[in-house]
Amino acid sequence: MAEPPPPLSGPARLSYALGHFLNDLCASMWFTYLLVYFHAVLGYSTTHAGTLLLVGQVADGVCTPLVGYESDRSAGCGRYGRRKTWHLVGTVCVLLSFPFIFNPCLGCTEATPQWVAFIYFIPFIVIFQFGWAATQISHLSLIPELVTTDHEKVELTALRYAFTVAANITVYGVAWLLLHFQLRHSGPTEQLGKPDIHIFRNLSLIVVAVGAVFSLLFHLGTKEQRHPQARLLEPEEHTPLLQKGHKIPPRPLLLWKHWLQEPAFYQVAMLYMATRLIVNLSQTYIAMYLTNSLMLPKKFIATIPLVMYISGFLSSFLMKPVNRWIGRNHSGAFVYGAMSFTDKVANGVAVMAIQNLHPCPTQLCCAGCVEFYHWVMVVVTGGVAVAAIMCLCCIMIWPIRVRFHDVSVLPLAGAGPGEAESTGERSRSSTVN
């Protein structure tokens, strides 16, 4: 048996944590400023701005499981390792596409129809979402290949989250600085508009520049271990199906079709989707709410999200005792992939529905939009919060129980039909909390 790899050194753990910093920077800017940029700055209609976000969310939801599947099958580029190869591909896609999203359409003029610019941005958004998914999946899948103990896995995950916090603070801090210096040099222009195009362009360039440096440090400092792939031994022609003198217990096996038969799967999907909608919709519409409903100066689109994020980060420390009290359950690769797909598509559909209800879709704001964003922040997110509470109550009343599905084995030598049938029935009726 091969010896387990030695524990990662401090610099190696740090270099790994840097690998998702570019993704975190881009995600923060994507959710917080995409609608603001396309609607309030470039002047696109609410429908076009919402559709672009929907396209990105659907592309991300579709690419995530596909990239995960392909990254497990691929062998990597030479000695570079399959995970780092996919991470490099994703990083290049993000770096090449993200700046174009927060720049005006090249070659477009004031007379260019909006649908032309709409088509122009779609390829860059799809490439960006593919690269984002490739970087995320490869970075997460490196954890079990770099370390073996649960303690080390928790440490790497904690470091990764710490840099996620740093990335969000960086985006909002840089945005505040850019808006602050613009006010000092160009006068008291309090509302967003076309003069702010260079603010978002410079912010996107700073994001990709800083993220590129951190990604380079990750690739230089992280050495992917080339462990042999752990797989089940396939039976050969002379392999005995039953070992003499031993009874092999039925092996629990949960395939994707089994998950779809579990009520617990839909319980968790609804709760996860509702909680993610609260976070994403609040982050997406907070800037429009601040500038159009509260009539605050545009510098607050950086300071208020910063305060919100820091508050959320501090409150996350309360989840440790809550998690210990309620418990943690329900794992599986298909479950995580399905939850991620549901979250991203639901967020895109919700934003599209809200955009279509906008009272003044072809202009920046009117008398009706003042109350519109107020109701979006209160009624929509509040209604989703009520739905999340109801889902949680359902889980508390009917606890999550997952049945074990087993591969049935036909009666073999030494086992009668009745014994095989009773074993299958026992396995199907067993549950796990």
Side-chain angles (χ1 to χ4, degrees):
M1 181 180 293
E3 296 182 359
L8 284 182
S9 62
R13 291 197 297 268
L14 180 62
S15 66
Y16 168 80
L18 303 178
H20 206 255
F21 198 70
L22 172 62
N23 264 21
D24 293 328
L25 291 170
C26 294
S28 178
M29 190 172 177
W30 168 269
F31 280 110
T32 308
Y33 297 128
L34 185 77
L35 289 184
V36 173
Y37 176 71
F38 279 102
H39 182 55
V41 177
L42 294 185
Y44 290 1
S45 68
T46 56
T47 302
H48 284 157
T51 305
L52 289 175
L53 191 142
L54 173 63
V55 168
Q57 294 303 105
V58 172
D60 188 10
V62 172
C63 289
T64 298
L66 294 180
V67 169
Y69 177 73
E70 290 297 330
S71 66
D72 285 335
R73 297 179 59 196
S74 63
C77 183
R79 298 182 179 180
Y80 204 59
R82 55 178 181 168
R83 307 302 186 189
K84 288 182 64 177
T85 297
W86 275 96
H87 189 283
L88 182 60
V89 171
T91 300
V92 172
C93 290
V94 171
L95 293 176
L96 294 180
S97 60
F98 191 73
F100 288 95
I101 299 175
F102 285 92
N103 270 282
C105 170
L106 297 178
C108 296
T109 63
E110 293 291 338
T112 304
Q114 285 193 10
W115 64 267
V116 175
F118 174 81
I119 296 176
Y120 166 86
F121 284 109
I122 287 180
F124 295 111
I125 290 176
V126 172
I127 294 172
F128 162 67
Q129 295 293 355
F130 166 79
W132 201 97
T135 304
Q136 180 198 38
I137 293 299
S138 58
H139 192 256
L140 281 173
S141 58
L142 263 176
I143 294 180
E145 299 194 10
L146 295 177
V147 295
T148 55
T149 66
D150 290 339
H151 176 71
E152 290 179 304
K153 292 176 183 178
V154 170
E155 281 189 341
L156 288 184
T157 304
L159 280 173
R160 188 176 182 271
Y161 180 66
F163 277 93
T164 299
V165 175
N168 282 268
I169 295 175
T170 300
V171 169
Y172 299 139
V174 173
W176 181 85
L177 288 175
L178 292 175
L179 291 170
H180 178 72
F181 285 117
Q182 183 203 37
L183 291 175
R184 290 184 57 184
H185 291 88
S186 61
T189 305
E190 299 293 347
Q191 298 301 318
L192 291 167
K194 290 189 180 296
D196 299 305
I197 290 177
H198 72 282
I199 296 291
F200 293 92
R201 180 194 62 213
N202 294 340
L203 181 59
S204 66
L205 293 176
I206 292 173
V207 161
V208 297
V210 174
V213 173
F214 278 73
S215 297
L216 177 62
L217 295 175
F218 161 78
H219 281 274
L220 293 177
T222 302
K223 307 299 180 184
E224 182 176 348
Q225 304 292 334
R226 298 184 60 82
H227 301 307
Q229 294 296 312
R231 61 181 182 89
L232 296 175
L233 295 177
E234 297 181 358
E236 299 177 357
E237 182 180 356
H238 301 290
T239 303
L241 294 178
L242 293 177
Q243 300 295 330
K244 294 181 179 180
H246 296 281
K247 286 187 176 181
I248 302 178
R251 178 173 175 243
L253 182 63
L254 282 171
L255 302 177
W256 66 269
K257 59 182 180 180
H258 297 146
W259 283 115
L260 297 179
Q261 301 171 9
E262 297 293 338
F265 176 81
Y266 301 97
Q267 286 179 285
V268 175
M270 292 299 297
L271 179 60
Y272 181 78
M273 181 183 68
T275 52
R276 290 297 302 167
L277 275 176
I278 297 171
V279 175
N280 291 334
L281 291 179
S282 300
Q283 188 176 7
T284 300
Y285 283 100
I286 185 62
M288 304 297 289
Y289 171 69
L290 294 173
T291 55
N292 294 329
S293 294
L294 298 185
M295 303 297 180
L296 294 176
K298 58 187 177 184
K299 65 179 180 180
F300 284 95
I301 68 173
T303 55
I304 298 299
L306 177 61
V307 172
M308 290 174 58
Y309 192 83
I310 294 177
S311 301
F313 170 69
L314 295 177
S315 64
S316 66
F317 290 103
L318 299 176
M319 290 308 299
K320 187 174 182 180
V322 172
N323 182 65
R324 194 161 46 238
W325 173 55
I326 296 179
R328 186 163 44 186
N329 220 325
H330 207 55
S331 62
F334 173 74
V335 175
Y336 286 122
M339 299 301 123
S340 177
F341 176 81
T342 303
D343 155 42
K344 287 158 181 155
V345 174
N347 183 71
V349 171
V351 169
M352 192 64 203
I354 294 172
Q355 294 295 99
N356 285 330
L357 295 175
H358 200 283
C360 38
T362 59
Q363 52 184 313
L364 176 58
C365 193
C366 59
C369 89
V370 175
E371 288 297 321
F372 176 76
Y373 290 114
H374 173 77
W375 288 110
V376 167
M377 296 298 295
V378 175
V379 176
V380 177
T381 57
V384 176
V386 172
I389 294 174
M390 293 177 63
C391 294
L392 182 60
C393 291
C394 291
I395 291 177
M396 300 296 287
I397 297 173
W398 297 285
I400 296 175
R401 294 183 181 275
V402 181
R403 294 171 294 178
F404 280 146
H405 297 259
D406 302 308
V407 178
S408 300
V409 180
L410 294 176
L412 300 172
E419 181 180 352
E421 183 178 356
S422 62
T423 302
E425 290 296 326
R426 285 196 301 270
S427 66
R428 283 193 293 271
S429 63
S430 60
T431 59
V432 61
N433 286 329

